[in-house]
PDB file of all heavy atoms in Angstrom:
ATOM      1  N   ARG X 219       0.201   6.677 -30.075  1.00  0.00           N
ATOM      2  CA  ARG X 219      -0.680   6.036 -29.100  1.00  0.00           C
ATOM      3  C   ARG X 219      -0.283   4.575 -28.886  1.00  0.00           C
ATOM      4  O   ARG X 219      -0.260   4.080 -27.752  1.00  0.00           O
ATOM      5  CB  ARG X 219      -2.119   6.129 -29.605  1.00  0.00           C
ATOM      6  CG  ARG X 219      -3.151   5.601 -28.646  1.00  0.00           C
ATOM      7  CD  ARG X 219      -4.542   5.760 -29.251  1.00  0.00           C
ATOM      8  NE  ARG X 219      -5.529   5.023 -28.494  1.00  0.00           N
ATOM      9  CZ  ARG X 219      -6.769   4.824 -28.903  1.00  0.00           C
ATOM     10  NH1 ARG X 219      -7.171   5.311 -30.064  1.00  0.00           N
ATOM     11  NH2 ARG X 219      -7.614   4.128 -28.168  1.00  0.00           N
ATOM     12  N   ALA X 220       0.039   3.868 -29.975  1.00  0.00           N
ATOM     13  CA  ALA X 220       0.486   2.476 -29.870  1.00  0.00           C
ATOM     14  C   ALA X 220       1.810   2.393 -29.126  1.00  0.00           C
ATOM     15  O   ALA X 220       2.026   1.482 -28.308  1.00  0.00           O
ATOM     16  CB  ALA X 220       0.628   1.861 -31.262  1.00  0.00           C
ATOM     17  N   PHE X 221       2.705   3.349 -29.391  1.00  0.00           N
ATOM     18  CA  PHE X 221       3.996   3.383 -28.693  1.00  0.00           C
ATOM     19  C   PHE X 221       3.796   3.590 -27.192  1.00  0.00           C
ATOM     20  O   PHE X 221       4.428   2.913 -26.363  1.00  0.00           O
ATOM     21  CB  PHE X 221       4.870   4.502 -29.266  1.00  0.00           C
ATOM     22  CG  PHE X 221       6.102   4.786 -28.458  1.00  0.00           C
ATOM     23  CD1 PHE X 221       7.167   3.895 -28.441  1.00  0.00           C
ATOM     24  CD2 PHE X 221       6.206   5.945 -27.709  1.00  0.00           C
ATOM     25  CE1 PHE X 221       8.301   4.145 -27.687  1.00  0.00           C
ATOM     26  CE2 PHE X 221       7.334   6.203 -26.953  1.00  0.00           C
ATOM     27  CZ  PHE X 221       8.385   5.317 -26.946  1.00  0.00           C
ATOM     28  N   ALA X 222       2.915   4.509 -26.833  1.00  0.00           N
ATOM     29  CA  ALA X 222       2.643   4.767 -25.416  1.00  0.00           C
ATOM     30  C   ALA X 222       2.056   3.527 -24.744  1.00  0.00           C
ATOM     31  O   ALA X 222       2.441   3.167 -23.629  1.00  0.00           O
ATOM     32  CB  ALA X 222       1.689   5.949 -25.278  1.00  0.00           C
ATOM     33  N   SER X 223       1.130   2.862 -25.439  1.00  0.00           N
ATOM     34  CA  SER X 223       0.522   1.652 -24.871  1.00  0.00           C
ATOM     35  C   SER X 223       1.551   0.545 -24.700  1.00  0.00           C
ATOM     36  O   SER X 223       1.572  -0.156 -23.683  1.00  0.00           O
ATOM     37  CB  SER X 223      -0.623   1.172 -25.767  1.00  0.00           C
ATOM     38  OG  SER X 223      -1.658   2.122 -25.822  1.00  0.00           O
ATOM     39  N   GLY X 224       2.431   0.379 -25.698  1.00  0.00           N
ATOM     40  CA  GLY X 224       3.474  -0.636 -25.612  1.00  0.00           C
ATOM     41  C   GLY X 224       4.488  -0.339 -24.536  1.00  0.00           C
ATOM     42  O   GLY X 224       5.105  -1.252 -23.961  1.00  0.00           O
ATOM     43  N   SER X 225       4.661   0.946 -24.212  1.00  0.00           N
ATOM     44  CA  SER X 225       5.615   1.335 -23.171  1.00  0.00           C
ATOM     45  C   SER X 225       5.171   0.885 -21.780  1.00  0.00           C
ATOM     46  O   SER X 225       5.951   0.958 -20.824  1.00  0.00           O
ATOM     47  CB  SER X 225       5.820   2.851 -23.178  1.00  0.00           C
ATOM     48  OG  SER X 225       6.392   3.270 -24.407  1.00  0.00           O
ATOM     49  N   SER X 226       3.914   0.426 -21.677  1.00  0.00           N
ATOM     50  CA  SER X 226       3.465  -0.124 -20.394  1.00  0.00           C
ATOM     51  C   SER X 226       4.292  -1.340 -20.010  1.00  0.00           C
ATOM     52  O   SER X 226       4.296  -1.753 -18.844  1.00  0.00           O
ATOM     53  CB  SER X 226       1.983  -0.494 -20.468  1.00  0.00           C
ATOM     54  OG  SER X 226       1.753  -1.503 -21.445  1.00  0.00           O
ATOM     55  N   ALA X 227       5.019  -1.920 -20.985  1.00  0.00           N
ATOM     56  CA  ALA X 227       5.896  -3.056 -20.684  1.00  0.00           C
ATOM     57  C   ALA X 227       7.091  -2.635 -19.839  1.00  0.00           C
ATOM     58  O   ALA X 227       7.818  -3.491 -19.328  1.00  0.00           O
ATOM     59  CB  ALA X 227       6.387  -3.698 -21.983  1.00  0.00           C
ATOM     60  N   LEU X 228       7.310  -1.322 -19.685  1.00  0.00           N
ATOM     61  CA  LEU X 228       8.470  -0.842 -18.930  1.00  0.00           C
ATOM     62  C   LEU X 228       8.127  -0.530 -17.481  1.00  0.00           C
ATOM     63  O   LEU X 228       8.987  -0.075 -16.732  1.00  0.00           O
ATOM     64  CB  LEU X 228       9.042   0.415 -19.606  1.00  0.00           C
ATOM     65  CG  LEU X 228       9.390   0.269 -21.092  1.00  0.00           C
ATOM     66  CD1 LEU X 228      10.038   1.541 -21.608  1.00  0.00           C
ATOM     67  CD2 LEU X 228      10.297  -0.925 -21.334  1.00  0.00           C
ATOM     68  N   THR X 229       6.892  -0.757 -17.092  1.00  0.00           N
ATOM     69  CA  THR X 229       6.528  -0.514 -15.701  1.00  0.00           C
ATOM     70  C   THR X 229       7.301  -1.457 -14.798  1.00  0.00           C
ATOM     71  O   THR X 229       7.487  -2.629 -15.106  1.00  0.00           O
ATOM     72  CB  THR X 229       5.020  -0.733 -15.498  1.00  0.00           C
ATOM     73  OG1 THR X 229       4.682  -2.031 -15.992  1.00  0.00           O
ATOM     74  CG2 THR X 229       4.209   0.298 -16.259  1.00  0.00           C
TER      75      THR X 229
END
Side-chain angles (χ1 to χ4, degrees):
R219 185 179 168 190
F221 169 72
S223 296
S225 297
S226 62
L228 306 184
T229 53

